[in-house]
Amino acid sequence: MSEYVKSLMAEVRAKHAAQPEFHQAVEEVAESIDIVLDRHPEYRSAKILERIIEPERVIIFRVPWIDDQGEVHINIGYRIEMNSAIGPYKGGLRFHPSVNLGILKFLAFEQVFKNSLTSLPMGGGKGGSDFDPKGKSDLKIMRFCHAFMSELFRHIGPNTDVPAGDIGVGGREIGYLFGLYKKLRNEFTGVLTGKGLNWGGSLIRPEATGYGAVYFAAEMLGTKNETLEGKTCLVSGSGNVAQYTTEKILDLGGKVVTLSDSNGYIHDEEGIDREKLAYVMELKNVRRGRIKEYTDKYKNAVYTAIDANAEFNPLWNHKADCAFPSATQNEINAKDAQNLVKNGVYVVSEGANMPTTPDGVEVLMDKKILYGPGKAANAGGVAVSGLEMSQNSQRLPWTREEVDKRLQLIMKNIHGTCVEMADRFGTPGNYVNGANIGGFLKVADSMIDQGVV
Ligand code: NDP
């Protein structure tokens, strides 16, 4: 690590204590960008990196709400408006009890580079709440979403800040949030993405992150003249990203053998086929059940509980060719990465954001496997959100084929940018450097153009 990165990180840690995920995300980018700063002293003198790591604005607010029994609850709401150099702030809302300022800042920071990589005009943001939607009735969810939007509506807008979904925020939540925004503002605009099809949503948006992660894996495999046909894949999570990752792997002839939630995972040696996937979608999206129930229906599959404090996650310890972490941050540690490699995995495409710890990434890079970091591999979701914004502006919906074609092209281009930037800056095959540098350059040049603001 250079002296410059060391001193930058010391300052970040001192100024923003107790935000380990944010430190992790910044350090990775700083290490990739160091060589760019050496070659472009104008970025260093304009303090571009130092400015990019500070959010333009952070909004923190109280979210009081009343449940079905009349009890009052108080959650914390956040919106991090990280960078608007290339477009309105754009990024999801996460509702999960683990949500805090540091986690949302890491997500918003990553989002800046990811959005830039899509080549669409979107700045970076992220938000959410420590509210836990798990097991709550639709009425409670609606009450919370309305309480949350009753403050957030002042800070967002179709040309200012356009939130979307993330963990715990899917179509149902976006609906409730949009409903109150529309009422308070008295206008029907594209202020949120991930909307329902009847009211401004885009075809393929729910599928986009998962499909995109698989398209990215296919591009990486293409560099070895291989495809996903016949490949065995490990997928974690069982939410939006995991479900559509599984669907696209099936479309491309691969076999998915695992899915998980925060309590445990199922391993189905025979593969999760379309009928089983439809069961999972109904279980998770309609009945809002737990993945354990899969083994009640499909007796051949094995359920194993996951202990978050254990040395390794057994999900990553099965024979396979590809892995698609699609649950949450830091779900693959160094031991998991070693297990993946030991079991034959040579492609990792990250559907989740920062699912691999830094020492896990080191293992994957040392072994020279095809490793697609989240900010490149999962950019398909926000890319189609960008396409949803375009359709909303035109007031014209595009066909499924049109959106899917654009998504595939965007993922191909992101892959191309990663490869080109990694080559140009002397680290061929390093998708981490390629993604960080590719995302950085466009934002840095725009910031220089716009002066010190
Ligand atoms: P969902 O809420 O639909 O699903 C999340 C899944 O991950 C659930 O199975 C959940 O299990 C599991 N999970 C969540 N937190 C944890 C945890 N701490 N430990 C273990 N498992 C956990 O979210 P998404 O599918 O939308 O998001 C998954 C990942 O993809 C996140 O990292 C998100 O940031 C990233 N992402 C999502 C995009 C999108 O378009 N939705 C875009 C780009 C990235 P449980 O039900 O038990 O909580």
Side-chain angles (χ1 to χ4, degrees):
M1 191 185 292
S2 73
E3 285 309 311
Y4 168 73
V5 175
K6 266 191 212 152
S7 94
L8 180 89
M9 287 314 303
E11 203 176 317
V12 170
R13 288 199 174 89
K15 254 197 204 170
H16 307 282
Q19 297 181 0
E21 294 85 0
F22 179 59
H23 306 160
Q24 184 181 331
V26 172
E27 186 166 300
E28 185 206 278
V29 169
E31 288 206 85
S32 293
I33 297 305
D34 206 18
I35 182 169
V36 182
L37 302 182
D38 287 345
R39 288 196 200 171
H40 292 272
E42 70 276 17
Y43 295 147
R44 218 187 274 277
S45 59
K47 299 236 165 92
I48 295 294
L49 190 54
E50 288 82 346
R51 280 153 65 190
I52 286 184
I53 62 184
E54 290 301 334
E56 290 177 12
R57 191 177 299 112
V58 174
I59 300 144
I60 303 185
F61 50 100
R62 180 176 71 194
V63 189
W65 58 282
I66 300 177
D67 70 17
D68 321 13
Q69 285 75 42
E71 193 184 335
V72 176
H73 299 265
I74 296 106
N75 287 99
I76 309 172
Y78 303 86
R79 187 69 185 165
I80 318 292
E81 298 186 332
M82 197 78 197
N83 194 296
S84 61
I86 61 172
Y89 311 106
K90 180 88 197 90
L93 297 171
R94 176 176 290 191
F95 291 169
H96 193 273
S98 65
V99 161
N100 59 37
L101 185 58
I103 288 187
L104 293 179
K105 276 177 63 186
F106 118 64
L107 289 163
F109 180 74
E110 294 266 304
Q111 197 80 43
V112 173
F113 301 89
K114 182 189 307 191
N115 293 3
S116 165
L117 278 171
T118 66
S119 74
L120 299 173
M122 299 181 290
K126 200 84 189 186
S129 174
D130 59 351
F131 171 74
D132 186 1
K134 219 173 290 164
K136 300 226 169 32
S137 68
D138 286 355
L139 187 60
K140 276 192 184 129
I141 300 286
M142 183 176 78
R143 287 196 171 133
F144 176 79
C145 288
H146 285 174
F148 183 82
M149 186 53 89
S150 71
E151 174 59 36
L152 187 69
F153 85 100
R154 290 173 226 289
H155 310 288
I156 62 175
N159 297 311
T160 316
D161 183 351
V162 185
D166 189 75
I167 291 179
V169 178
R172 172 182 60 170
E173 291 75 17
I174 294 289
Y176 295 147
L177 292 164
F178 183 77
L180 196 76
Y181 179 89
K182 181 168 63 66
K183 184 178 169 84
L184 294 173
R185 287 272 187 203
N186 194 27
E187 61 181 28
F188 196 114
T189 55
V191 67
L192 291 158
T193 57
K195 298 186 290 299
L197 280 180
N198 290 332
W199 41 280
S202 174
L203 286 159
I204 303 280
R205 176 58 190 93
E207 294 88 339
T209 307
Y211 279 17
V214 180
Y215 291 146
F216 196 85
E219 288 294 327
M220 291 198 291
L221 278 164
T223 63
K224 289 185 179 291
N225 292 321
E226 291 185 40
T227 68
L228 272 157
E229 180 80 43
K231 300 279 190 297
T232 299
C233 304
L234 306 176
V235 177
S236 65
S238 50
N240 171 273
V241 179
Q243 292 171 16
Y244 290 106
T245 293
T246 303
E247 184 167 284
K248 188 48 71 181
I249 291 170
L250 289 173
D251 289 348
L252 300 187
K255 175 167 135 178
V256 175
V257 293
T258 59
L259 284 172
S260 69
D261 57 28
S262 48
N263 300 113
Y265 79 101
I266 57 105
H267 182 242
D268 185 341
E269 189 96 56
E270 291 166 14
I272 298 162
D273 60 19
R274 284 182 202 280
E275 183 214 306
K276 293 171 178 174
L277 176 60
Y279 170 81
V280 171
M281 287 183 171
E282 196 268 336
L283 170 70
K284 298 306 283 191
N285 308 345
V286 182
R287 284 194 282 133
R288 306 201 183 262
R290 308 304 295 160
I291 200 67
K292 187 177 194 301
E293 293 168 50
Y294 183 97
T295 52
D296 297 339
K297 178 138 172 94
Y298 302 107
K299 306 280 184 206
N300 65 302
V302 178
Y303 175 79
T304 310
I306 296 177
D307 172 3
N309 298 315
E311 190 199 351
F312 65 91
N313 179 346
L315 187 156
W316 305 120
N317 200 14
H318 290 275
K319 287 258 165 285
D321 305 294
C322 312
F324 293 85
S326 311
T328 192
Q329 63 272 5
N330 292 331
E331 53 171 315
I332 297 181
N333 63 23
K335 179 73 184 156
D336 295 318
Q338 283 157 6
N339 284 339
L340 286 170
V341 175
K342 183 189 78 190
N343 280 293
V345 169
Y346 64 104
V347 180
V348 175
S349 186
E350 295 184 338
N353 283 308
M354 207 170 74
T356 313
T357 61
D359 49 358
V361 173
E362 216 174 292
V363 171
L364 302 178
M365 305 276 271
D366 277 355
K367 299 289 177 194
K368 303 240 175 300
I369 73 156
L370 296 168
Y371 168 60
K375 62 170 81 66
N378 72 37
V382 74
V384 173
S385 276
L387 302 181
E388 182 173 330
M389 289 162 74
S390 302
Q391 295 168 77
N392 290 164
S393 300
Q394 292 180 320
R395 299 203 186 276
L396 271 181
W398 300 341
T399 63
R400 192 179 167 85
E401 292 68 30
E402 170 77 18
V403 180
D404 195 26
K405 203 170 74 195
R406 287 177 188 252
L407 170 62
Q408 284 186 56
L409 185 64
I410 289 171
M411 296 315 296
K412 191 180 171 60
N413 289 340
I414 293 174
H415 178 268
T417 301
C418 292
V419 170
E420 187 198 326
M421 290 299 157
D423 281 352
R424 192 192 296 176
F425 286 90
T427 51
N430 184 329
Y431 287 91
V432 174
N433 284 349
N436 287 333
I437 296 170
F440 173 81
L441 287 176
K442 188 171 151 193
V443 177
D445 288 339
S446 306
M447 288 173 74
I448 298 248
D449 290 347
Q450 293 166 23
V452 181
V453 285

